[in-house]
PDB file of all heavy atoms in Angstrom:
ATOM      1  N   SER A  91      23.040 -85.030  24.663  1.00 93.00           N
ATOM      2  CA  SER A  91      21.824 -84.346  24.219  1.00 93.00           C
ATOM      3  C   SER A  91      21.836 -82.842  24.594  1.00 93.00           C
ATOM      4  O   SER A  91      21.019 -82.157  24.060  1.00 93.00           O
ATOM      5  CB  SER A  91      20.515 -85.008  24.679  1.00 93.00           C
ATOM      6  OG  SER A  91      20.170 -84.620  26.002  1.00 93.00           O
ATOM      7  N   LYS A 101      18.867 -73.323  16.042  1.00 98.00           N
ATOM      8  CA  LYS A 101      18.413 -73.454  14.621  1.00 98.00           C
ATOM      9  C   LYS A 101      16.920 -72.906  14.545  1.00 98.00           C
ATOM     10  O   LYS A 101      16.511 -72.219  13.717  1.00 98.00           O
ATOM     11  CB  LYS A 101      18.451 -74.847  14.187  1.00 98.00           C
ATOM     12  CG  LYS A 101      18.130 -75.090  12.718  1.00 98.00           C
ATOM     13  CD  LYS A 101      18.368 -76.648  12.471  1.00 98.00           C
ATOM     14  CE  LYS A 101      17.740 -77.042  11.127  1.00 98.00           C
ATOM     15  NZ  LYS A 101      17.963 -78.427  10.865  1.00 98.00           N
ATOM     16  N   ARG A 278      10.368 -78.475  41.046  1.00 98.00           N
ATOM     17  CA  ARG A 278      10.462 -78.353  39.636  1.00 98.00           C
ATOM     18  C   ARG A 278      11.473 -77.276  39.198  1.00 98.00           C
ATOM     19  O   ARG A 278      12.240 -77.518  38.126  1.00 98.00           O
ATOM     20  CB  ARG A 278       8.999 -78.076  39.047  1.00 98.00           C
ATOM     21  CG  ARG A 278       9.006 -77.870  37.544  1.00 98.00           C
ATOM     22  CD  ARG A 278       9.580 -78.927  36.745  1.00 98.00           C
ATOM     23  NE  ARG A 278      10.017 -78.460  35.446  1.00 98.00           N
ATOM     24  CZ  ARG A 278      10.984 -78.937  34.751  1.00 98.00           C
ATOM     25  NH1 ARG A 278      11.678 -80.035  35.115  1.00 98.00           N
ATOM     26  NH2 ARG A 278      11.427 -78.452  33.640  1.00 98.00           N
ATOM     27  N   LYS A 399      18.257 -91.004  22.499  1.00 80.00           N
ATOM     28  CA  LYS A 399      18.751 -91.089  21.206  1.00 80.00           C
ATOM     29  C   LYS A 399      20.211 -90.690  21.092  1.00 80.00           C
ATOM     30  O   LYS A 399      21.071 -91.302  20.525  1.00 80.00           O
ATOM     31  CB  LYS A 399      17.872 -90.234  20.219  1.00 80.00           C
ATOM     32  CG  LYS A 399      18.235 -90.350  18.754  1.00 80.00           C
ATOM     33  CD  LYS A 399      17.205 -89.462  17.940  1.00 80.00           C
ATOM     34  CE  LYS A 399      17.761 -88.834  16.719  1.00 80.00           C
ATOM     35  NZ  LYS A 399      16.873 -87.908  16.066  1.00 80.00           N
TER      36      LYS A 399
HETATM   37  P1  LIG B   1      15.408 -84.208  16.801  1.00 77.46           P
HETATM   38  O1  LIG B   1      14.238 -83.421  16.432  1.00 77.46           O
HETATM   39  O2  LIG B   1      15.397 -85.728  16.779  1.00 77.46           O
HETATM   40  O3  LIG B   1      16.641 -83.763  15.915  1.00 77.46           O
HETATM   41  O4  LIG B   1      15.821 -83.730  18.272  1.00 77.46           O
HETATM   42  P2  LIG B   1      16.813 -83.757  14.398  1.00 77.46           P
HETATM   43  O5  LIG B   1      17.618 -85.006  14.103  1.00 77.46           O
HETATM   44  O6  LIG B   1      15.594 -83.452  13.674  1.00 77.46           O
HETATM   45  O7  LIG B   1      17.842 -82.521  14.098  1.00 77.46           O
HETATM   46  C1  LIG B   1      17.328 -81.218  14.433  1.00 77.46           C
HETATM   47  C2  LIG B   1      18.528 -80.274  14.927  1.00 77.46           C
HETATM   48  O8  LIG B   1      18.811 -80.747  16.287  1.00 77.46           O
HETATM   49  C3  LIG B   1      19.843 -80.482  14.165  1.00 77.46           C
HETATM   50  O9  LIG B   1      19.858 -79.668  13.044  1.00 77.46           O
HETATM   51  C4  LIG B   1      20.760 -80.071  15.145  1.00 77.46           C
HETATM   52  O10 LIG B   1      20.816 -78.652  15.325  1.00 77.46           O
HETATM   53  C5  LIG B   1      20.287 -80.636  16.412  1.00 77.46           C
HETATM   54  P3  LIG B   1      20.874 -80.017  11.817  1.00 77.46           P
HETATM   55  O11 LIG B   1      22.237 -79.978  12.432  1.00 77.46           O
HETATM   56  O12 LIG B   1      20.510 -81.337  11.258  1.00 77.46           O
HETATM   57  O13 LIG B   1      20.654 -78.868  10.828  1.00 77.46           O
HETATM   58  N1  LIG B   1      20.747 -82.081  16.550  1.00 77.46           N
HETATM   59  C6  LIG B   1      22.070 -82.393  16.779  1.00 77.46           C
HETATM   60  N2  LIG B   1      23.129 -81.600  16.941  1.00 77.46           N
HETATM   61  C7  LIG B   1      24.390 -82.323  17.087  1.00 77.46           C
HETATM   62  N3  LIG B   1      24.393 -83.620  17.246  1.00 77.46           N
HETATM   63  C8  LIG B   1      23.394 -84.432  17.037  1.00 77.46           C
HETATM   64  C9  LIG B   1      22.131 -83.777  16.829  1.00 77.46           C
HETATM   65  N4  LIG B   1      20.918 -84.274  16.644  1.00 77.46           N
HETATM   66  C10 LIG B   1      20.082 -83.247  16.492  1.00 77.46           C
HETATM   67  N5  LIG B   1      23.504 -85.661  17.101  1.00 77.46           N
HETATM   68  C11 LIG B   1      17.079 -83.399  20.225  1.00 77.46           C
HETATM   69  C12 LIG B   1      16.845 -84.330  19.022  1.00 77.46           C
HETATM   70  C13 LIG B   1      18.025 -84.131  21.136  1.00 77.46           C
HETATM   71  C14 LIG B   1      17.762 -82.170  19.695  1.00 77.46           C
HETATM   72  C15 LIG B   1      15.776 -83.056  20.886  1.00 77.46           C
HETATM   73  O14 LIG B   1      15.080 -84.250  21.210  1.00 77.46           O
HETATM   74  C16 LIG B   1      15.913 -82.201  22.108  1.00 77.46           C
HETATM   75  O15 LIG B   1      16.167 -81.052  22.076  1.00 77.46           O
HETATM   76  N6  LIG B   1      15.771 -82.850  23.348  1.00 77.46           N
HETATM   77  C17 LIG B   1      16.027 -82.145  24.619  1.00 77.46           C
HETATM   78  C18 LIG B   1      17.320 -82.749  25.159  1.00 77.46           C
HETATM   79  C19 LIG B   1      17.685 -82.051  26.439  1.00 77.46           C
HETATM   80  O16 LIG B   1      17.162 -81.085  26.892  1.00 77.46           O
HETATM   81  N7  LIG B   1      18.749 -82.574  27.038  1.00 77.46           N
HETATM   82  C20 LIG B   1      19.318 -82.037  28.238  1.00 77.46           C
HETATM   83  C21 LIG B   1      19.624 -83.137  29.132  1.00 77.46           C
HETATM   84  S1  LIG B   1      18.200 -83.572  30.027  1.00 77.46           S
HETATM   85  C22 LIG B   1      18.357 -82.569  31.419  1.00 77.46           C
HETATM   86  O17 LIG B   1      19.378 -82.724  32.060  1.00 77.46           O
HETATM   87  C23 LIG B   1      17.508 -81.371  31.602  1.00 77.46           C
HETATM   88  C24 LIG B   1      16.144 -81.410  32.041  1.00 77.46           C
HETATM   89  O18 LIG B   1      15.885 -82.214  33.134  1.00 77.46           O
HETATM   90  C25 LIG B   1      15.772 -80.006  32.280  1.00 77.46           C
HETATM   91  C26 LIG B   1      14.266 -79.813  32.633  1.00 77.46           C
HETATM   92  O19 LIG B   1      13.631 -80.711  33.147  1.00 77.46           O
HETATM   93  O20 LIG B   1      13.720 -78.738  32.347  1.00 77.46           O
HETATM   94  C27 LIG B   1      15.337 -81.950  30.862  1.00 77.46           C
END
Side-chain angles (χ1 to χ4, degrees):
S91 84
K101 183 177 168 184
R278 176 55 206 151
K399 187 173 147 189

